[in-house]
Amino acid sequence: TLVTSRAALGGDDFLDWETVGSSFETLAEPFDLATTGGLTATVRGSGNGVVRDGFLGNLLPFRTIESLRCGFDDAGQPVNCGVPRISISFATGLRAFGAQIQDIGFDESFLGSISVFDLLGNLLETYTAAGFNSAPFLGVSRSTADIFRIDFGTNTGRDFAINSADLLRGLPEVPTDPVPPTQSVPEPSSLGLFGLGLSGALF
């Protein structure tokens, strides 16, 4: 289901972009980042890296990463322009994931999107939310921990940013095998009788 606020998502782990790189630094992709709970996230952009805190907009007080649709040549001209996106993947399945998103157009309307995928790359769910000089929260919650990749994007073709991401891990598995019965230990009186019987047989 679509989740439209951090409080409703109820995350128990977090991705804090302040823990990677420095403000205004372009981070080569893909790069790995640890959640506060120790999970490893692999982050990819549009192929030209992502910028930490390149655009803050209405995403404060959290740190951000911004997509880079284009690279730039020595003369500062855009090259290798792709589709703006931020993709985050995990080796462990999640039950929920979400963050705020804002297009760098700032005072222009946009449609932000979130899509989640399973372990095999199959699309599970996708949702959109409209923004205008705002940063809507886009999250997905599922009944089972089958989210392995999350893609963010917008409909404008411009770069965009997301801020700190909240996530909800899957519940630990509970063993279903029956507990083996314990072996009974003979009482001392039973052991004494057995000893008397053995000595009588020897006699």
Side-chain angles (χ1 to χ4, degrees), residues 58 101-103 105-111 129-136:
N58 297 92
I101 185 171
Q102 188 169 11
D103 187 273
F106 200 68
D107 285 328
E108 299 182 50
S109 61
F110 70 95
L111 203 61
F132 179 79
N133 196 15
S134 62

Side-chain angles (χ1 to χ4, degrees), residues 32-112:
D32 289 342
L33 173 67
T35 68
T36 55
L39 291 181
T40 298
T42 300
V43 182
R44 292 176 173 84
S46 307
N48 300 295
V50 296
V51 182
R52 204 201 104 179
D53 300 337
F55 175 73
L56 298 175
N58 297 92
L59 297 164
L60 292 172
F62 303 102
R63 300 294 93 192
T64 71
I65 57 166
E66 175 193 340
S67 65
L68 275 183
R69 186 174 77 88
C70 299
F72 296 91
D73 61 18
D74 294 338
Q77 297 301 309
V79 293
N80 302 325
C81 295
V83 177
R85 70 160 192 164
I86 294 174
S87 181
I88 305 166
S89 56
F90 294 86
T92 301
L94 307 175
R95 289 178 54 211
F97 192 96
Q100 287 175 271
I101 185 171
Q102 188 169 11
D103 187 273
I104 65 169
F106 200 68
D107 285 328
E108 299 182 50
S109 61
F110 70 95
L111 203 61

Side-chain angles (χ1 to χ4, degrees), residues 17-27 50-54 63-65:
W17 305 114
E18 192 171 10
T19 63
V20 61
S22 303
S23 291
F24 313 115
E25 179 183 355
T26 300
L27 307 171
V50 296
V51 182
R52 204 201 104 179
D53 300 337
R63 300 294 93 192
T64 71
I65 57 166

Side-chain angles (χ1 to χ4, degrees), residues 184-194:
S184 60
V185 178
E187 296 180 6
S189 57
S190 300
L191 288 174
L193 289 173
F194 175 75

Side-chain angles (χ1 to χ4, degrees), residues 158-172:
R158 295 186 296 260
D159 290 328
F160 66 92
I162 62 171
N163 61 9
S164 175
D166 290 24
L167 54 118
L168 188 63
R169 297 184 183 217
L171 296 174

Side-chain angles (χ1 to χ4, degrees), residues 93-167:
L94 307 175
R95 289 178 54 211
F97 192 96
Q100 287 175 271
I101 185 171
Q102 188 169 11
D103 187 273
I104 65 169
F106 200 68
D107 285 328
E108 299 182 50
S109 61
F110 70 95
L111 203 61
S113 65
I114 184 173
S115 302
V116 294
F117 302 82
D118 67 13
L119 181 61
L120 300 178
N122 299 308
L123 177 64
L124 299 173
E125 299 183 46
T126 186
Y127 297 103
T128 59
F132 179 79
N133 196 15
S134 62
F137 186 90
L138 274 172
V140 174
S141 177
R142 292 182 57 81
S143 58
T144 57
D146 56 358
I147 300 173
F148 286 84
R149 192 182 98 219
I150 306 96
D151 285 2
F152 288 94
T154 71
N155 67 329
T156 66
R158 295 186 296 260
D159 290 328
F160 66 92
I162 62 171
N163 61 9
S164 175
D166 290 24
L167 54 118

